[in-house]
Amino acid sequence: MALICKNNMKVTIKDHSHNIINVELLYHTTDKSYLITAFYGSPYSKKLDSWTHLRRMANNTTLPWLIMGYFNIVLSNEENKGLRPFDRNEAEIFKDNLSDMGVQDMGFTGYPYTWCNQRTDNTRVEERLDRAFCNDEWIDLFPQSNIYHLVSRGSDPSPIILKTSHNWKDGAYPFKYFGGWMEHPDCKRIIMEAWNSNQSGSASYSLAKNMSTVKNFLKRWNKTFFGNIKHRISELKKNIDKLSQNTNRCPIAIKKLEESLQQWKDIEEDYWKTKSRNNRINLEG
């Protein structure tokens, strides 16, 4: 397990173990603290033992509390799809624990299952094993909280994300030169044509103008011929998400989209490797 936080957050690690990380954070708008527990449930027979610490915490905290992670339990028949039988007795035991702890399931938005065995035939199994629980104090502090099921890409479990507010806006991406463009035969020609454009004025003005022209030429060419990498990745993710929301989704169609997505992510990774290498050269120089 790993905990990653922004450096402008006041975070206090209360305790941690093999399958739990407990942190206390200071809510910046109200100066009120809250507790977050990252949890990884045991996949083996001692599932209930891994909840001992959670029950102890429930008896000793009055803070707003969120528990989130991989619990490896199915709490209802609706959370299980496939040939694997639903264990009703196990579900009742854990429901009693949740009631005793004073926490409730936060629900979710998205496809109902977070794990599958990656099979595409009649042996396919899908289950909701990742979730979040919270107490009443958390709901009072973050009344707009919601859990979103994202689409699994490259692994069995699907990631889940917590949003405490519905207001979210992505910023615009700045222009960046991608080294992989040079592998395309048209790229060098486009740069030369842009650079050789007639620009009147001083040398410094012509240099700045040529640089701007090259950028504009590359942006148009990238959009028309090479395709915007971020846009391609974003569109593929949207298509995968759309198919994944359908309970009658086709695993084969999703797999093909995921393969295409991986190809574009490889292109993106090549860009960042080039950028990282250039930064290292600048530092060493």
Side-chain angles (χ1 to χ4, degrees):
M1 296 182 66
L3 172 68
I4 303 172
C5 300
K6 291 184 177 180
N7 57 13
N8 63 348
M9 298 181 68
K10 185 176 181 181
V11 180
T12 303
I13 299 178
K14 307 297 290 185
D15 56 79
H16 61 87
S17 66
H18 179 70
N19 63 321
I20 288 179
I21 299 177
N22 288 315
V23 295
E24 184 176 329
L25 297 95
L26 184 65
Y27 190 39
H28 63 281
T29 60
T30 64
D31 290 332
K32 185 173 183 179
S33 295
Y34 56 95
L35 189 66
I36 291 182
T37 300
F39 184 82
Y40 183 85
S42 172
Y44 306 109
S45 58
K46 296 183 178 180
K47 289 183 182 180
L48 198 58
D49 292 345
S50 61
W51 283 59
T52 302
H53 191 63
L54 294 180
R55 294 195 298 270
R56 188 183 305 119
M57 288 180 58
N59 294 327
N60 293 290
T61 184
T62 58
L63 294 175
W65 186 25
L66 171 78
I67 317 166
M68 185 174 177
Y70 174 80
F71 288 84
N72 196 37
I73 57 172
V74 176
L75 295 179
S76 69
N77 194 48
E78 290 72 24
E79 296 179 353
N80 178 69
K81 179 182 179 182
L83 298 178
R84 182 178 298 177
F86 167 60
D87 192 334
R88 189 174 302 277
N89 291 331
E90 180 184 73
E92 291 302 320
I93 293 174
F94 283 101
K95 285 180 180 179
D96 290 341
N97 272 269
L98 295 172
S99 178
D100 293 340
M101 291 165 54
V103 296
Q104 57 185 289
D105 193 320
M106 293 184 63
F108 64 90
T109 298
Y111 191 67
Y113 313 110
T114 65
W115 175 89
C116 78
N117 58 2
Q118 298 297 320
R119 298 177 183 176
T120 58
D121 54 19
N122 59 2
T123 62
R124 183 179 180 87
V125 175
E126 297 180 273
E127 296 176 326
R128 182 188 177 208
L129 301 180
D130 305 78
R131 63 183 77 229
F133 302 102
C134 68
N135 59 11
D136 291 339
E137 289 78 10
W138 175 274
I139 296 176
D140 291 339
L141 184 61
F142 299 106
Q144 293 185 325
S145 292
N146 197 8
I147 298 295
Y148 294 85
H149 289 180
L150 306 183
V151 177
S152 172
R153 297 183 176 96
S155 62
D156 289 342
S158 299
I160 62 175
I161 185 171
L162 164 73
K163 291 187 179 181
T164 57
S165 173
H166 298 302
N167 299 321
W168 183 268
K169 184 177 180 180
D170 293 329
Y173 292 105
F175 172 79
K176 296 176 181 178
Y177 175 78
F178 175 49
W181 286 344
M182 287 302 296
E183 298 178 5
H184 196 286
D186 290 341
C187 184
K188 185 175 181 180
R189 174 183 57 79
I190 290 171
I191 293 175
M192 292 183 64
E193 289 179 359
W195 191 264
N196 292 327
S197 299
N198 294 324
Q199 305 292 347
S200 59
S202 64
S204 59
Y205 173 82
S206 296
L207 175 62
K209 194 66 176 178
N210 281 337
M211 292 289 288
S212 178
T213 303
V214 168
K215 181 185 75 172
N216 292 330
F217 272 44
L218 284 175
K219 286 177 69 175
R220 288 196 296 269
W221 172 72
N222 171 62
K223 185 176 181 179
T224 305
F225 296 99
F226 195 77
N228 183 279
I229 299 173
K230 289 288 185 181
H231 178 72
R232 291 288 183 94
I233 291 176
S234 177
E235 287 300 308
L236 283 168
K237 287 181 177 179
K238 288 179 181 178
N239 290 335
I240 293 173
D241 289 345
K242 185 176 180 180
L243 284 179
S244 299
Q245 301 308 315
N246 190 342
T247 54
N248 296 319
R249 63 182 181 176
C250 176
I252 297 177
I254 294 176
K255 186 175 181 61
K256 289 182 179 180
L257 287 175
E258 288 177 340
E259 290 173 351
S260 181
L261 174 64
Q262 186 59 51
Q263 292 175 354
W264 281 99
K265 291 180 73 173
D266 290 342
I267 294 174
E268 183 183 42
E269 181 181 2
D270 184 53
Y271 161 73
W272 286 110
K273 284 182 178 179
T274 302
K275 182 178 177 63
S276 176
R277 182 169 60 251
N278 290 341
N279 288 342
R280 186 168 62 251
I281 292 173
N282 290 336
L283 290 173
E284 293 174 351

